[in-house]
Amino acid sequence: MAQIFKRKPMAQQDPNLRSKNFEEVALGYTKEEAVEEAKRCLQCKRPLCVTGCPVSVKIPEFIKSIADEDFEKSIKLLKENNSLPAVCGRVCPQEDQCEQKCILSNKGEAVAIGNLERFIADYDRKNNLQKVISVKKSNGKKVAVIGSGPAGLTVAGELIKEGFSVTIFEALHEAGGVLIYGIPEFRLPKNIVKKEIGYLESLGVHIEKNFVVGKTATIDELLNEENFDFVFIGSGAGLPSFMNIPGENSIGVYSANEYLTRSNLMKAFLDGSETPIIKGKHVVTIGGGNVAMDSARTAVRLGAETSTIVYRRTESEMPARNEEIHHAKEEGVIFKLLCNPTKINSDDNGFVSSIECVQMELGAKDSSGRPRPIVIENSNFQIDADVIIIAIGNKPNPIIQETTPDLKISEKGTILVNDDYGRTSKKYVYAGGDIVTGAATVILAMGAGRRGAKSIMEDAIL
Amino acid sequence: MGNILRKEQLSELVWRFRLDAPRIARKRKAGQFIILRPLENSERIPLTIANWNTHDGWIEIIFQIAGKTTQVLSELSVGDSVHDIAGPLGKPTHIENFGKVVCIGGGVGVAPLYPIVSALVDAGNDVTTIIGARSKNLVILENEMKRISNLLIATDDGSYGTHGFVTDVFNELIKNNQKFNLAVVIGPVIMMKFTTALTIKAGILTYASLNPIMIDGTGMCGGCRVTFNNEIKFACVDGPEFEASGIDWDGLINRQNSYKNFELNKSNDHQCKLAGV
């Protein structure tokens, strides 16, 4: 009976091996492992896990189907509420969401909901279980979705099934948003993202790449001249923050967005890539979120002798998933906590040579609810570095706001919505994801996408 | 979109391509640029829109072969399509009737200067254009500029026009009591640094169009950042034009060297198919 409290561990690449390649770290469950893990689920009458899921996945149901080895039923149940399960199974912080609420976690380990979601999504992809999905006949309404990241893809997926004509406008030359430029290959293989997007296209979603809404056409032009009935803005929080410390423009200082875009989207990690990236020997990443972990771990794989995280609070305040912090440590990333950068030094040719930091201590809680870091005077020290990655967060990209004057925005530049359902101050225009909340997670963007789609469906009937 | 309608060699390393791009042609304003990838695996590079035709739906780019990607681009043929093209990007040049304007272009910087000269002339300005090049065969767009503005040319080797630099020509105009309400300067970064110093010294409001390394071109990565009046600005969304007096030129010059070694290796790898270059 004690067995029920321990979850089946999921195989992973050995740290020494995986720190030299970009292949996926997690290797997934075998069918037998998945079935065994699925049988742990108590099938609670009042499942608390579902309340922890931003898109209300039918968790006990899809897990029961795995336990019964009815895999086709499982993926069907899962996809009723989650259109990108292969992605979510990999990047969702389940430990803060569904798994945190699992009743088994009171006495032992939660059911490995994330691992099971990943298993069934991969099984479906490999075995082509889900063949035909019913798409309602055309209702004559056209929707323009701005951005092909998690929010936009989710909106598109929901609306195409309901008979809307859907066009996604993507600024970059490849669709996927953060899924393709932000999250590295070793956490989320790009062929999986491409397959999920291909599935949407097979349902009839049209994706126009290299189209920058606000520049190539404005929202008003889409509504008034191109006959779109509704517009959903999922343009994301793509405007990197910098620290504004001396030396930040030296050669070798990257925003995490630039570093990851070069590596993930432009494939600079591959030999023979056309896009350069400076492969530093001593890489220092400033920040404590998932993006910082992704950057530091990418640096390791690009051959850095040392890859260091500099963060001004302690590990318990770090926003990154524990799993990512744990993986980073296993791969040899050094953590310099309670440290804050003050100055970046460069050599005679303008290349970064070191970063000066000061030590911090924790004081009373600040507005974020976390203890405020306070400088310890005269504690300055240097870290040798030839690449510095600034991963301290992103602000909303301003292009759409600047070209849509009647769209109400907040002081921070995020688009204001009336409620949780995505309606903006502009009629027929909706928004969701990071452009509304500021930088957050894939699953929250997907939740916003589902609710935005619901609003559009409601308003289309009126 | 992106089909090559016409290609023309303007000088040893400089090409003019006409591309089918109806949406971009319709929306573009002077001073804006595109991001382009010649082939599927190419890097993303920014190129200013040098000319356009809304009715026929094309734009023209003029570029100098500066590394592998521009080399690859130059080798595409009429009828081929570039793999990706996005735009129009950047903030358009602020155009109004300033009165008397001097526009100074160095080398291939003359290409982005042309649409600005054109727009300024359309707005009623009296425009004097100064073009500089190393020698006569590197002068571009002479006829186009002569048609719409008072054109002066300077060559380093004296093979055409004034023997000297654009700054010499400009100084001469100032010495002869010419007054200008606005100066627009575009060219290699060092040229812009020194030329704008002179126009500012002469008391003229001066704009420069910057050309840092870019990746996405939509403000998402910060790779094109420049310090302007002690603040970090992104050339792709806040620029590419900035008031010259606020620009940290040395920072800009420095960052342009970021990938010199990479570029040298890439160019060596590339098998050049052009004979006689």
Side-chain angles (χ1 to χ4, degrees), chain A residues 216 226 249 254-255 257 274, chain B residues 23 68 87 220-221 227 259:
Chain A
T216 314
E226 310 228 7
N249 285 350
Y254 288 109
S255 72
N257 267 5
E274 295 294 305
Chain B
R23 273 195 187 279
K68 172 141 185 229
M220 182 267 268
C221 81
T227 305
Y259 302 104

Side-chain angles (χ1 to χ4, degrees), chain A residues 173 210-211 215-216 221 226 238-240 248-249 251 253-255 257-258 262 272-275 349 397, chain B residues 23 27 37 41 43-44 68 84-85 87-88 90 215 218-221 223 225 227 254-255 258-259 262 266:
Chain A
H173 59 269
N210 297 309
F211 196 110
K215 296 283 186 199
T216 314
E221 282 162 358
E226 310 228 7
L239 189 76
E248 211 166 14
N249 285 350
I251 300 175
V253 182
Y254 288 109
S255 72
N257 267 5
E258 184 184 352
R262 282 179 183 272
S273 155
E274 295 294 305
T275 297
N349 292 320
N397 190 288
Chain B
R23 273 195 187 279
K27 286 289 287 185
R37 292 201 320 152
N41 295 322
E43 56 170 337
R44 293 168 63 95
K68 172 141 185 229
D84 297 286
I85 174 172
I215 300 93
T218 61
M220 182 267 268
C221 81
R225 62 188 183 279
T227 305
N254 184 45
R255 281 178 68 77
S258 301
Y259 302 104
F262 177 90
K266 275 283 149 190

Side-chain angles (χ1 to χ4, degrees), chain B residues 85-103:
Chain B
I85 174 172
L89 303 173
K91 283 206 160 88
T93 305
H94 173 64
I95 303 285
E96 65 176 70
N97 193 338
F98 295 94
K100 284 194 73 173
V101 182
V102 61
C103 290

Side-chain angles (χ1 to χ4, degrees), chain B residues 40-263:
Chain B
E40 191 176 355
N41 295 322
S42 296
E43 56 170 337
R44 293 168 63 95
I45 58 170
L47 291 166
T48 311
I49 302 168
N51 204 356
W52 76 103
N53 184 305
T54 311
H55 182 264
D56 295 343
W58 52 254
I59 61 169
E60 280 180 349
I61 49 171
I62 296 176
F63 63 94
Q64 175 165 296
I65 297 177
K68 172 141 185 229
T69 307
T70 38
Q71 176 74 55
V72 164
L73 179 59
S74 72
E75 292 170 3
L76 293 176
S77 310
V78 171
D80 290 342
S81 283
V82 300
H83 198 269
D84 297 286
I85 174 172
L89 303 173
K91 283 206 160 88
T93 305
H94 173 64
I95 303 285
E96 65 176 70
N97 193 338
F98 295 94
K100 284 194 73 173
V101 182
V102 61
C103 290
I104 310 176
V108 77
V110 173
L113 195 61
Y114 174 71
I116 296 173
V117 169
S118 183
L120 286 167
V121 168
D122 284 347
N125 290 283
D126 172 343
V127 180
T128 300
T129 307
I130 309 174
I131 290 180
R134 280 204 311 276
S135 60
K136 179 175 182 183
N137 61 333
L138 295 173
V139 171
I140 57 170
L141 302 185
E142 179 187 353
N143 292 330
E144 289 86 341
M145 290 293 202
K146 199 186 282 181
R147 220 175 290 140
I148 58 175
S149 62
N150 315 314
L151 179 63
L152 299 164
I153 298 179
T155 49
D156 294 14
D157 66 359
S159 52
Y160 200 45
T162 303
H163 186 172
F165 302 119
V166 291
T167 43
D168 298 322
V169 175
F170 174 74
N171 283 333
E172 200 57 35
L173 292 174
I174 296 300
K175 228 165 63 180
N176 293 335
N177 281 320
Q178 290 265 11
K179 297 265 178 287
F180 298 104
N181 306 100
L182 177 77
V184 179
V185 179
I186 310 185
V189 196
I190 294 180
M191 171 260 180
M192 287 196 285
K193 174 180 173 181
F194 287 108
T195 308
T196 58
L198 283 180
T199 54
I200 290 167
K201 192 153 150 242
I204 309 171
L205 171 65
T206 304
Y207 282 90
S209 183
L210 304 184
N211 58 347
I213 296 171
M214 285 186 190
I215 300 93
D216 70 295
T218 61
M220 182 267 268
C221 81
C224 64
R225 62 188 183 279
V226 61
T227 305
F228 176 74
N229 287 335
N230 286 318
E231 283 185 331
I232 292 182
K233 297 279 178 192
F234 295 172
C236 66
V237 291
D238 301 312
E241 238 164 64
F242 291 91
E243 211 193 299
S245 57
I247 298 172
D248 167 24
W249 290 108
D250 291 334
L252 202 57
I253 290 167
N254 184 45
R255 281 178 68 77
Q256 294 230 306
N257 293 329
S258 301
Y259 302 104
K260 271 240 160 78
N261 284 334
F262 177 90
E263 197 53 69

